[in-house]
Every structure is written in structure tokens, then in C-alpha cells.
Amino acid sequence: MSYETILLDKREAVGVITLNRPKALNALNNQLMDELTAALRDLEADDEIGCIVITGSEKAFAAGADIKQMAEKDYTDVFMEDFITANWEEATRVRKPIIAAVAGFALGGGCELAMMCDFIIAAENAKFGQPEITIGVIPGGGGTQRLTRFVGKSKAMDMVLTGRHMDAAEALASGLVSRVVPTEDLLDEALDTAEKITTYSRPAVMLAKESVNRAYETTLAEGVRFERRVFHSLFAFEDQSEGMAAFIEKRRPQFKNR
Ligand code: HXC
């Protein structure tokens, strides 16, 4: 499939998706979200791929849902087309890890897309925000829920009610992003991180992701029980005996990803 609003690059075991509508600061329109969904499905199904990076340009990860496209819609339109559920949530269905590499603006739906990924690496120039209130609506891609879980109620309220931007240092201090790097190093840092993840056992990586995500969905006691079952299940994979044997024999493991 050829894409017009994103770039898809397979760099050995890392799939890199670059949002690419530079004139609109990567505003997320239906075509872009359809193409992003198709690319994510392609990478999820590709056995060669072990980790995914989603990034934008140095100026913008994404400045939000496309306001020009949204402005034309009425209630019937958004209800009947199930805006935005239909093509916005594929990132949350992917079982392989997804890293958001964010430089520049990550606003509205852009911030929400970054939060749907597994973790966010930010450039020093990154700016996060949920400015929907300034155009008469509220976040619709999970922003009121995911941002609150990342940064807590007080800061989420501050962001959602004022629409102000948060810079990279504040995003790091409040737990929205996992690390901040110089802007020119962002892609290399994300690629190195993704490559490192691809050297580990694929089933262990996928089950680690599933277990951390379970923490958002359940009580502590249930989550710990889930983790224990998953931990036990990893002893059914060949990679467990290989990983432990390699440690004892002081050599690098040769994971079979099965
Ligand atoms: C459509 C957008 C856009 C957007 C920017 N552009 N953001 N087009 N939708 N979300 C376009 C501008 O219209 C302009 O095109 C070009 O990109 C450059 O933008 P400027 O405003 O000229 O750049 P700048 O002065 O640098 O300001 C950057 C900015 C500002 C601060 C990011 O563009 C901005 O405030 N954008 C809107 C941010 C926003 O409110 N996002 C939330 C959207 S609602 P032209 O052709 O005019 O020159 C949302 C709801 C999600 O995301 C709910 C469902 C998921």
C-alpha cells in the first residue's frame, strides 16, 4: 500500500511511522488516521518487526485533529461515523511495543495519540497540551482519561481547563514522558531504544507490555495475580531456558522469539 500522509520505513526489526502533513503541522485528518491504522496493522502482522516508533517532524508531532475537517461536522455526522473511535484507536490494539518520539507540538489529538503509545520520548522543544477547550469542545481521544492517569488530577484539570501547553521539562517532571533528549538526537534515541527492545524475547516483551497495561484496568491484587500467571506462562517458552542458560554460561542469548 502506498501512503500520502505518513511515511512507513522498516529498519531491520524496527518499524518507523512518520506523520507527514507538514503544511498542516501533521493535523490528524481521516486519511492520515486510516493510513496510520493500515501501517500499524502491517507492522503488527510482520514477523520481522519487533518494535514500532511513531514520530512527526521537528516542528510538530501532531497539532491535533484536523480542525478544518472537524468544523464541517454536526452531531449526526460525529455520531453516525463514530468519530473518533472508528479509526483512531488502532495503536491501543497493537501487541508489539510502540514508542512515541515527540518533537514540537503534540496538541489535542496529537497528545492523545502519543499517550496511546507505550511510552513517550520527548525532544527538548516538545510542547504538550489539550487545547480543545479553546475551540469549544473537550478532548475526545481519551485525553481526559489518559492524561489524568499520567499526571494526576490537578495538572490534568489545569491542562484541560486552560488549554495551556506543557514544555518537555514539565512533561518529564510530571511523568507524561519517560525521557527528554536534545531535539537533534530524538530519532536516534528512539531508534536505539526500539532496537534494544527487539533484541529481547518477543513473547516476553509482548507479555510485559500487556502486564503493565493491566495496571490501568484493574485493582492491585488482581493485577498482581495477572502478572503471576503471565510470569509462570513465560516458562512455557523456549526463550526462558535460553535466556537463563545464556546468563549462566556468560554469553549473549539467542532468542528464538517463541
Ligand atoms: C488543522 C491546523 C491545525 C489543526 C495547525 N494547522 N493546527 N490545521 N487542524 N489542528 C494549520 C494552520 O491552519 C496553518 O495552516 C498551519 O497548520 C500552520 O499553523 P499556524 O497556526 O500558522 O502555526 P503557528 O503560528 O506556529 O502555531 C502553531 C499552533 C497552532 C500553536 C500549533 O497552529 C494551533 O494552535 N493549532 C491548533 C491546535 C489545536 O487546537 N489542537 C486541538 C485540535 S482539537 P494555514 O493553511 O492556515 O496556513 C482536537 C480534538 C481531538 O485535537 C478529539 C478527537 C481526537
Side-chain angles (χ1 to χ4, degrees), residues 153-181:
K153 177 182 168 183
S154 187
K155 205 173 273 287
M157 282 289 189
D158 178 358
M159 304 292 295
V160 169
L161 294 180
T162 68
R164 78 172 175 88
H165 298 172
M166 192 192 264
D167 67 16
E170 186 180 1
L172 182 66
S174 46
L176 178 57
V177 308
S178 70
R179 17 181 146 156
V180 177
V181 297

Short mmCIF file of all heavy atoms in Angstrom, two decimals, residues 153-181:
data_model
loop_
_atom_site.label_atom_id
_atom_site.label_comp_id
_atom_site.label_asym_id
_atom_site.label_seq_id
_atom_site.Cartn_x
_atom_site.Cartn_y
_atom_site.Cartn_z
N LYS A 153 -4.80 14.39 38.85
CA LYS A 153 -5.99 15.23 38.61
C LYS A 153 -5.66 16.72 38.50
O LYS A 153 -6.17 17.41 37.62
CB LYS A 153 -6.99 15.01 39.76
CG LYS A 153 -8.20 15.90 39.64
CD LYS A 153 -9.16 15.71 40.81
CE LYS A 153 -10.21 16.82 40.80
NZ LYS A 153 -11.12 16.76 41.93
N SER A 154 -4.82 17.21 39.40
CA SER A 154 -4.62 18.66 39.47
C SER A 154 -4.03 19.19 38.17
O SER A 154 -4.55 20.15 37.56
CB SER A 154 -3.71 18.98 40.66
OG SER A 154 -3.64 20.35 40.85
N LYS A 155 -2.97 18.55 37.72
CA LYS A 155 -2.33 19.04 36.49
C LYS A 155 -3.21 18.75 35.26
O LYS A 155 -3.26 19.56 34.33
CB LYS A 155 -0.94 18.41 36.34
CG LYS A 155 -0.02 19.25 35.50
CD LYS A 155 1.40 18.72 35.50
CE LYS A 155 2.23 19.23 36.64
NZ LYS A 155 2.61 20.65 36.45
N ALA A 156 -3.91 17.62 35.26
CA ALA A 156 -4.80 17.32 34.12
C ALA A 156 -5.90 18.37 34.03
O ALA A 156 -6.22 18.87 32.94
CB ALA A 156 -5.39 15.91 34.26
N MET A 157 -6.49 18.72 35.17
CA MET A 157 -7.52 19.77 35.17
C MET A 157 -6.95 21.08 34.64
O MET A 157 -7.58 21.76 33.82
CB MET A 157 -8.05 19.99 36.59
CG MET A 157 -9.03 18.95 37.06
SD MET A 157 -10.61 19.12 36.21
CE MET A 157 -11.57 17.96 37.20
N ASP A 158 -5.77 21.43 35.13
CA ASP A 158 -5.09 22.65 34.71
C ASP A 158 -4.94 22.65 33.18
O ASP A 158 -5.30 23.63 32.50
CB ASP A 158 -3.73 22.69 35.44
CG ASP A 158 -2.85 23.87 35.09
OD1 ASP A 158 -3.25 24.68 34.24
OD2 ASP A 158 -1.76 23.98 35.67
N MET A 159 -4.46 21.54 32.63
CA MET A 159 -4.23 21.46 31.17
C MET A 159 -5.54 21.52 30.39
O MET A 159 -5.65 22.21 29.38
CB MET A 159 -3.51 20.15 30.82
CG MET A 159 -2.22 19.90 31.54
SD MET A 159 -0.94 21.03 31.04
CE MET A 159 -0.74 20.56 29.34
N VAL A 160 -6.51 20.74 30.85
CA VAL A 160 -7.76 20.57 30.08
C VAL A 160 -8.65 21.82 30.20
O VAL A 160 -9.34 22.20 29.25
CB VAL A 160 -8.52 19.30 30.55
CG1 VAL A 160 -9.92 19.24 30.00
CG2 VAL A 160 -7.73 18.05 30.16
N LEU A 161 -8.61 22.49 31.36
CA LEU A 161 -9.49 23.66 31.56
C LEU A 161 -8.87 24.95 31.03
O LEU A 161 -9.61 25.88 30.68
CB LEU A 161 -9.84 23.82 33.05
CG LEU A 161 -10.69 22.68 33.63
CD1 LEU A 161 -10.98 22.94 35.11
CD2 LEU A 161 -12.01 22.53 32.86
N THR A 162 -7.54 25.03 30.99
CA THR A 162 -6.93 26.27 30.48
C THR A 162 -6.43 26.12 29.05
O THR A 162 -6.25 27.11 28.35
CB THR A 162 -5.71 26.70 31.34
OG1 THR A 162 -4.65 25.75 31.15
CG2 THR A 162 -6.08 26.80 32.81
N GLY A 163 -6.18 24.90 28.61
CA GLY A 163 -5.64 24.69 27.27
C GLY A 163 -4.18 25.05 27.13
O GLY A 163 -3.64 25.07 26.03
N ARG A 164 -3.51 25.30 28.28
CA ARG A 164 -2.11 25.73 28.17
C ARG A 164 -1.19 24.59 27.72
O ARG A 164 -1.55 23.42 27.84
CB ARG A 164 -1.64 26.30 29.52
CG ARG A 164 -1.30 25.27 30.57
CD ARG A 164 -0.67 25.93 31.79
NE ARG A 164 -0.45 24.97 32.87
CZ ARG A 164 0.66 24.24 32.98
NH1 ARG A 164 1.61 24.31 32.08
NH2 ARG A 164 0.79 23.40 34.00
N HIS A 165 -0.03 24.97 27.21
CA HIS A 165 0.95 23.98 26.79
C HIS A 165 1.89 23.64 27.94
O HIS A 165 2.16 24.47 28.80
CB HIS A 165 1.80 24.50 25.62
CG HIS A 165 0.99 24.81 24.39
ND1 HIS A 165 1.52 25.43 23.29
CD2 HIS A 165 -0.31 24.56 24.10
CE1 HIS A 165 0.58 25.57 22.37
NE2 HIS A 165 -0.54 25.05 22.83
N MET A 166 2.40 22.42 27.92
CA MET A 166 3.37 21.95 28.91
C MET A 166 4.68 21.71 28.15
O MET A 166 4.67 21.05 27.11
CB MET A 166 2.84 20.60 29.45
CG MET A 166 3.52 20.06 30.67
SD MET A 166 3.02 18.34 30.94
CE MET A 166 1.72 18.54 32.11
N ASP A 167 5.79 22.25 28.63
CA ASP A 167 7.04 22.01 27.90
C ASP A 167 7.65 20.66 28.31
O ASP A 167 7.12 19.96 29.18
CB ASP A 167 8.03 23.18 28.07
CG ASP A 167 8.54 23.32 29.50
OD1 ASP A 167 8.40 22.37 30.29
OD2 ASP A 167 9.10 24.39 29.82
N ALA A 168 8.76 20.32 27.67
CA ALA A 168 9.33 18.98 27.86
C ALA A 168 9.77 18.77 29.31
O ALA A 168 9.59 17.68 29.87
CB ALA A 168 10.50 18.77 26.90
N ALA A 169 10.34 19.80 29.92
CA ALA A 169 10.83 19.65 31.30
C ALA A 169 9.66 19.37 32.25
O ALA A 169 9.74 18.50 33.12
CB ALA A 169 11.59 20.90 31.73
N GLU A 170 8.55 20.11 32.04
CA GLU A 170 7.38 19.89 32.91
C GLU A 170 6.78 18.50 32.62
O GLU A 170 6.34 17.80 33.55
CB GLU A 170 6.33 20.99 32.66
CG GLU A 170 5.16 20.90 33.64
CD GLU A 170 4.09 21.97 33.41
OE1 GLU A 170 4.23 22.79 32.47
OE2 GLU A 170 3.11 21.97 34.17
N ALA A 171 6.77 18.11 31.36
CA ALA A 171 6.22 16.79 31.00
C ALA A 171 7.04 15.67 31.63
O ALA A 171 6.49 14.65 32.07
CB ALA A 171 6.19 16.63 29.47
N LEU A 172 8.36 15.88 31.71
CA LEU A 172 9.22 14.87 32.35
C LEU A 172 8.96 14.84 33.85
O LEU A 172 8.77 13.77 34.44
CB LEU A 172 10.70 15.18 32.07
CG LEU A 172 11.70 14.18 32.63
CD1 LEU A 172 11.55 12.82 31.95
CD2 LEU A 172 13.14 14.70 32.45
N ALA A 173 8.92 16.04 34.46
CA ALA A 173 8.74 16.12 35.92
C ALA A 173 7.38 15.53 36.33
O ALA A 173 7.24 15.00 37.43
CB ALA A 173 8.85 17.57 36.39
N SER A 174 6.38 15.63 35.46
CA SER A 174 5.04 15.16 35.85
C SER A 174 4.74 13.74 35.36
O SER A 174 3.63 13.25 35.54
CB SER A 174 3.97 16.15 35.41
OG SER A 174 4.17 16.57 34.11
N GLY A 175 5.71 13.10 34.72
CA GLY A 175 5.53 11.69 34.38
C GLY A 175 4.82 11.43 33.05
O GLY A 175 4.49 10.30 32.72
N LEU A 176 4.62 12.48 32.27
CA LEU A 176 3.98 12.27 30.96
C LEU A 176 4.94 11.60 29.98
O LEU A 176 4.53 10.80 29.14
CB LEU A 176 3.48 13.62 30.41
CG LEU A 176 2.82 13.60 29.03
CD1 LEU A 176 1.62 12.66 28.99
CD2 LEU A 176 2.40 15.01 28.62
N VAL A 177 6.23 11.96 30.09
CA VAL A 177 7.22 11.37 29.18
C VAL A 177 8.27 10.63 29.99
O VAL A 177 8.49 10.94 31.17
CB VAL A 177 7.88 12.45 28.28
CG1 VAL A 177 6.82 13.28 27.57
CG2 VAL A 177 8.85 13.34 29.04
N SER A 178 8.94 9.67 29.35
CA SER A 178 9.91 8.87 30.10
C SER A 178 11.30 9.49 30.06
O SER A 178 12.10 9.27 30.96
CB SER A 178 9.96 7.44 29.57
OG SER A 178 10.54 7.42 28.30
N ARG A 179 11.62 10.22 28.99
CA ARG A 179 12.92 10.91 28.93
C ARG A 179 12.84 12.09 27.97
O ARG A 179 11.99 12.12 27.08
CB ARG A 179 14.06 10.00 28.47
CG ARG A 179 13.66 8.73 27.80
CD ARG A 179 14.91 7.92 27.43
NE ARG A 179 14.58 6.50 27.54
CZ ARG A 179 15.22 5.55 26.89
NH1 ARG A 179 16.22 5.84 26.10
NH2 ARG A 179 14.87 4.29 27.05
N VAL A 180 13.76 13.02 28.16
CA VAL A 180 13.89 14.18 27.28
C VAL A 180 15.30 14.18 26.71
O VAL A 180 16.26 13.97 27.46
CB VAL A 180 13.63 15.49 28.04
CG1 VAL A 180 13.84 16.70 27.11
CG2 VAL A 180 12.22 15.52 28.62
N VAL A 181 15.41 14.40 25.40
CA VAL A 181 16.74 14.38 24.77
C VAL A 181 16.87 15.63 23.89
O VAL A 181 15.85 16.22 23.49
CB VAL A 181 16.93 13.10 23.92
CG1 VAL A 181 16.88 11.86 24.79
CG2 VAL A 181 15.91 12.99 22.79
#
